[in-house]
Amino acid sequence: MLSFLSIQKDSGKIIARQGNVSFFSYTPVENIKAENNQVLSIVDLKNNKIAVSILMNAFVFEKALMREHFNESYIESDIYPKATFEGKIIDFDPSMKGVQTRMIKGDFSMHGSNKELEIKAKIEKQNDVFVITGSFEAVVEDYDIKIPPLLRGNIAKIINVDFKFEYEAYEN
């Protein structure tokens, strides 16, 4: 369970209730892309900690069959309904206006496996709104996702993941 579920108003925390996470898989057979606009994220501005929760079955695909295969055969979203990230934004100054490029270090958990990630992100402060964007690569085998030998050519070994979160002050 993520530690951000019990935050209080005026707690120095900001929230993105409809963050965006998308991924792209290139293969010679067929490109696969999906987008999820139901991603929750919270940042604690006092200690620069960040937490993200992604509902796996909320990814939208171009084809219904891709979504079915993703949820049932690969991600097994009935067994592993969420992916999570918990980490810290290194050297982040929330009082600084404009754009900061920072590293975010933490643990990404998906499909029952954890992987430590270091992600370069752009953080932009506009008035009281923070926007964090970035991307990283997920190696399929790092998350114990089984791909049948017959389909290995249809799914990339490395998946490009992009994210964008627009944070506002947390209020009950």
Side-chain angles (χ1 to χ4, degrees):
M1 170 119 43
L2 292 177
S3 58
F4 63 67
L5 296 177
S6 61
I7 58 180
Q8 304 296 318
K9 186 176 179 179
D10 298 326
S11 62
K13 293 178 174 70
I14 53 175
I15 187 168
R17 287 187 171 86
Q18 294 182 317
N20 178 280
V21 172
S22 61
F23 68 83
F24 180 79
S25 166
Y26 168 80
T27 67
V29 177
E30 184 172 33
N31 292 336
I32 300 169
K33 60 183 179 178
E35 190 166 348
N36 185 337
N37 289 313
Q38 298 179 34
V39 182
L40 178 67
S41 179
I42 292 182
V43 174
D44 184 335
L45 297 174
K46 292 178 184 171
N47 58 22
N48 296 338
K49 288 188 178 178
I50 182 170
V52 180
S53 179
I54 306 166
L55 287 175
M56 298 309 285
N57 65 5
F59 278 97
V60 177
F61 291 79
E62 188 176 299
K63 298 177 183 175
L65 190 57
M66 287 179 178
R67 182 178 184 161
E68 182 180 324
H69 287 166
F70 174 80
N71 284 300
E72 293 177 11
S73 301
Y74 304 117
I75 292 298
E76 300 174 286
S77 58
D78 56 332
I79 300 169
Y80 308 104
K82 292 181 184 178
T84 60
F85 178 84
E86 292 192 47
K88 186 167 181 150
I89 307 169
I90 308 303
D91 296 327
F92 174 51
D93 181 357
S95 66
M96 189 172 144
K97 291 205 183 295
V99 177
Q100 300 178 57
T101 301
R102 298 290 181 256
M103 295 304 291
I104 301 174
K105 293 182 182 180
D107 292 317
F108 182 60
S109 176
M110 179 174 64
H111 196 255
S113 299
N114 287 325
K115 177 84 174 153
E116 192 172 306
L117 295 181
E118 217 173 286
I119 304 166
K120 185 177 181 179
K122 182 175 96 172
I123 305 167
E124 187 170 1
K125 182 178 182 183
Q126 304 166 342
N127 300 319
D128 290 332
V129 176
F130 288 87
V131 178
I132 299 180
T133 57
S135 62
F136 65 94
E137 294 180 337
V139 179
V140 174
E141 69 181 26
D142 287 348
Y143 299 98
D144 200 30
I145 297 169
K146 306 291 184 230
I147 300 170
L150 195 60
L151 299 175
R152 285 208 177 109
N154 296 8
I155 297 174
K157 292 176 171 66
I158 298 173
I159 309 294
N160 297 312
V161 181
D162 295 313
F163 58 89
K164 179 178 181 180
F165 300 108
E166 294 185 23
Y167 296 89
E168 297 178 341
Y170 179 81
E171 295 179 17
N172 289 332

